[in-house]
Amino acid sequence: MKKMMILLLIAIPAGSFSQEKVWTLEECIEYAVRHNPQHAKQAAQNEIYKYNQREAIGGFLPSLNIGTGAAMNFGRGVDPETNTYISTNTFSNSYDVYSSLTLFDGFAQIYRAKMAKINRLKGKEELQALMDKTTFEVMEIFFNVLYYKGTVKLAEQQLEESARNLKKFRRMEELGLKSIPDLAEIQAKEAEDRFLFTRQINLYNMEVIKLKEKMNWPVEEELLIKDYEQMPLISAGTQDVTEIYQQALSVLPKVSASAQSLSATRMEHYIARGRLFPSLSMNAGFSTGFSRLMDGTSYMSFSEQLKLREGTYVSVSLSIPLFNGFSRSSEWKRSKQRIVIARHQHEELLRQVYSEVEQAVADVNGLSDEYRHARQRTVAMQSAHEMNLRKYEEGLIDAIELSTSSNRLLNSRVEELYTNLKYQLKYKLLNYYKGNMSFEL
């Protein structure tokens, strides 16, 4: 699965393409992935997860701080040298270096570190899931573009045939071999095919616009898609839904992200539980200071006072939570319910994945049969239409029957194109669930 998006890491300069460049499916996917704002947001969120993990690891280390302060006392106060009360203004200055280390907090910090690690891994899977989602959205629209591009070609071929027939039968009408009503019917058929050709061009252009939107392609630039030739069916073989489902569970990033989200929710519960336990911490520090009377009398030098007033301390503190307005107990109970929600969401996702795999297998098998029959029907209708064309020239059938034959052949070709493209798309989706992906057409 991790190999699936390696191609998407290839750098593509945004302004290096000319309008004449013809884009393949792989290139469209690469461009869309690199220019999708959702991916940039998820990448930024992953950076936050990284900093959260570093902060959680730092929670096991002692804190170290430096502090200083200065104070002026006016009127009655304590003489810092004799510790007696005096009525003289004094100035004092203090310096501290102190450290604190949590010895026990109900294992909450351990679970914070585990949750931060899980969230970071989940972020990577979520980014991969977004890339996969973009890949298939672009792929689906790309196949739609190919479909309408194919229908434009088929409509153009139909129009060319109608134009040839119209020219031929005009000559036959001039020679008295065809009647004016027959010629009118052929003219109507040519006009209908011209309308169909124009309509397919418009549908094709609208689908290209959708592809541009999905790729975040510059609106003012043209996007040309590589021509597609119908591919022979790739034998999918016998597909076991359960086996493919098990493969999907191990390779799909959205499944992994959901499982990690459930694990992170459990860590939140353990953290909330740890806050119900007493916490034990150790503190140590070093302090010194300087002071003087502001009455003009002499005083000990700054450096001497700093040396004489040096002091160190070590302490251990214990905090036992007795009552905090039900905040800790309520958070613990809420965390238990979040686990229930996350577990059901994960189970729902697994059922959804199984349904997707089952549907993909059914689609591949069904479309395989549909395409074979559509191909056979096209071959048969091609032969029938050629015979009907000769019959019409010989006067054995009328223009309406010829028009019907032509339309049936066109519909058969369109259906063959559709089932072939649909099969290729579903086959790629099935391979994705197996952990394999190819963008080649």
Side-chain angles (χ1 to χ4, degrees):
M1 181 60 209
K2 297 301 181 183
K3 297 179 180 179
M4 168 186 165
M5 301 304 295
I6 290 179
L7 293 175
L8 302 178
L9 302 178
I10 302 174
I12 301 180
S16 63
F17 302 107
S18 65
Q19 290 186 351
E20 290 75 20
K21 177 177 175 58
V22 179
W23 286 69
T24 64
L25 172 60
E26 176 186 335
E27 291 169 337
C28 289
I29 291 173
E30 290 172 356
Y31 189 95
V33 167
R34 289 193 172 276
H35 294 82
N36 192 322
Q38 292 184 355
H39 299 171
K41 290 191 294 184
Q42 184 60 49
Q45 181 62 52
N46 289 353
E47 287 296 307
I48 295 175
Y49 287 146
K50 182 177 72 174
Y51 299 141
N52 289 346
Q53 184 182 16
R54 183 168 64 180
E55 180 183 2
I57 294 174
F60 293 102
L61 304 176
S63 63
L64 180 63
N65 300 278
I66 297 177
T68 185
M72 285 288 297
N73 186 67
F74 302 95
R76 185 174 176 79
V78 178
D79 186 340
E81 294 187 4
T82 62
N83 285 328
T84 60
Y85 283 99
I86 57 175
S87 297
T88 305
N89 297 340
T90 60
F91 169 79
S92 61
N93 186 206
S94 63
Y95 302 91
D96 301 277
V97 178
Y98 52 95
S99 178
S100 177
L101 176 64
T102 300
L103 301 178
F104 179 77
D105 61 352
F107 307 108
Q109 188 59 40
I110 294 176
Y111 291 119
R112 286 191 191 97
K114 290 183 177 181
M115 184 179 71
K117 181 180 180 180
I118 291 171
N119 282 335
R120 189 173 181 183
L121 295 174
K122 182 185 71 172
K124 293 180 180 179
E125 295 296 337
E126 288 174 340
L127 178 59
Q128 183 65 52
L130 274 175
M131 294 170 70
D132 291 354
K133 182 174 181 290
T134 301
T135 296
F136 276 101
E137 288 176 348
V138 171
M139 186 181 297
E140 185 173 10
I141 299 176
F142 190 93
F143 273 78
N144 288 341
V145 171
L146 291 178
Y147 169 71
Y148 285 111
K149 192 172 186 178
T151 59
V152 168
K153 289 183 179 180
L154 293 175
E156 184 179 16
Q157 293 172 6
Q158 180 93 338
L159 177 59
E160 290 174 353
E161 179 183 326
S162 296
R164 288 194 303 268
N165 290 338
L166 179 59
K167 183 178 180 181
K168 179 191 300 184
F169 296 136
R170 273 178 178 167
R171 181 58 178 165
M172 295 177 70
E173 189 271 334
E174 292 173 356
L175 297 175
L177 300 177
K178 291 294 180 182
S179 64
I180 294 179
D182 285 340
L183 181 60
E185 186 65 34
I186 295 299
Q187 288 175 331
K189 179 65 171 60
E190 191 271 346
E192 179 186 359
D193 291 341
R194 190 173 298 280
F195 166 78
L196 177 63
F197 175 62
T198 303
R199 184 170 183 271
Q200 295 305 312
I201 291 177
N202 292 335
L203 292 173
Y204 167 76
N205 290 333
M206 286 189 290
E207 209 64 33
V208 170
I209 292 173
K210 292 180 183 179
L211 182 58
K212 285 183 178 181
E213 180 182 1
K214 181 55 63 175
M215 293 172 58
N216 280 306
W217 181 267
V219 179
E220 68 280 1
E221 294 187 14
E222 186 179 6
L223 178 61
L224 302 178
I225 299 302
K226 184 179 179 181
D227 286 337
Y228 167 82
E229 295 181 0
Q230 288 188 204
M231 294 174 290
L233 289 185
I234 304 171
S235 177
T238 303
Q239 304 295 329
D240 187 303
V241 175
T242 303
E243 181 181 352
I244 298 176
Y245 170 70
Q246 294 299 327
Q247 291 175 324
L249 294 184
S250 63
V251 300
L252 291 187
K254 65 179 180 180
V255 174
S256 178
S258 176
Q260 289 164 351
S261 180
L262 177 59
S263 298
T265 306
R266 290 195 178 101
M267 294 302 106
E268 289 180 355
H269 171 67
Y270 297 145
I271 293 170
R273 186 184 63 181
R275 295 181 68 234
L276 299 175
F277 288 86
S279 62
L280 180 66
S281 61
M282 182 177 68
N283 308 283
F286 168 83
S287 64
T288 185
F290 165 80
S291 66
R292 59 163 294 186
L293 301 177
M294 304 299 292
D295 57 359
T297 59
S298 61
Y299 58 91
M300 190 179 299
S301 68
F302 181 78
S303 60
E304 290 178 341
Q305 287 195 40
L306 290 183
K307 185 174 182 180
L308 288 175
R309 295 186 178 186
E310 290 180 355
T312 57
Y313 67 90
V314 176
S315 66
V316 177
S317 60
L318 177 67
S319 176
I320 303 175
L322 296 179
F323 181 75
N324 296 276
F326 306 110
S327 63
R328 300 194 181 199
S329 60
S330 296
E331 177 59 25
W332 177 61
K333 293 177 181 179
R334 283 195 296 267
S335 67
K336 291 176 66 176
Q337 299 308 312
R338 293 192 190 104
I339 292 177
V340 175
I341 294 172
R343 184 172 63 249
H344 284 290
Q345 288 176 338
H346 183 64
E347 292 173 353
E348 182 180 354
L349 176 64
L350 296 184
R351 288 193 296 269
Q352 178 186 345
V353 170
Y354 185 87
S355 178
E356 290 174 358
V357 171
E358 191 174 31
Q359 184 64 51
V361 171
D363 288 341
V364 168
N365 293 335
L367 288 169
S368 175
D369 294 336
E370 285 184 26
Y371 176 71
R372 289 190 181 91
H373 293 308
R375 180 58 186 164
Q376 293 171 1
R377 184 177 64 175
T378 300
V379 172
M381 287 192 175
Q382 176 69 40
S383 300
H385 180 64
E386 292 173 357
M387 293 179 62
N388 287 332
L389 189 59
R390 289 196 297 268
K391 288 181 180 179
Y392 179 77
E393 294 174 355
E394 296 171 0
L396 299 178
I397 61 174
D398 57 24
I400 295 178
E401 290 177 293
L402 180 62
S403 177
T404 302
S405 174
S406 178
N407 290 336
R408 289 174 58 194
L409 177 59
L410 176 62
N411 292 336
S412 178
R413 287 173 172 171
V414 169
E415 190 65 27
E416 179 187 353
L417 173 66
Y418 175 80
T419 53
N420 184 273
L421 285 170
K422 199 72 172 179
Y423 176 84
Q424 303 300 336
L425 179 62
K426 295 300 182 179
Y427 186 80
K428 290 180 181 296
L429 178 61
L430 189 61
N431 279 338
Y432 169 68
Y433 290 126
K434 296 179 181 179
N436 303 315
M437 175 56 74
S438 171
F439 303 123
E440 295 182 0
L441 289 178

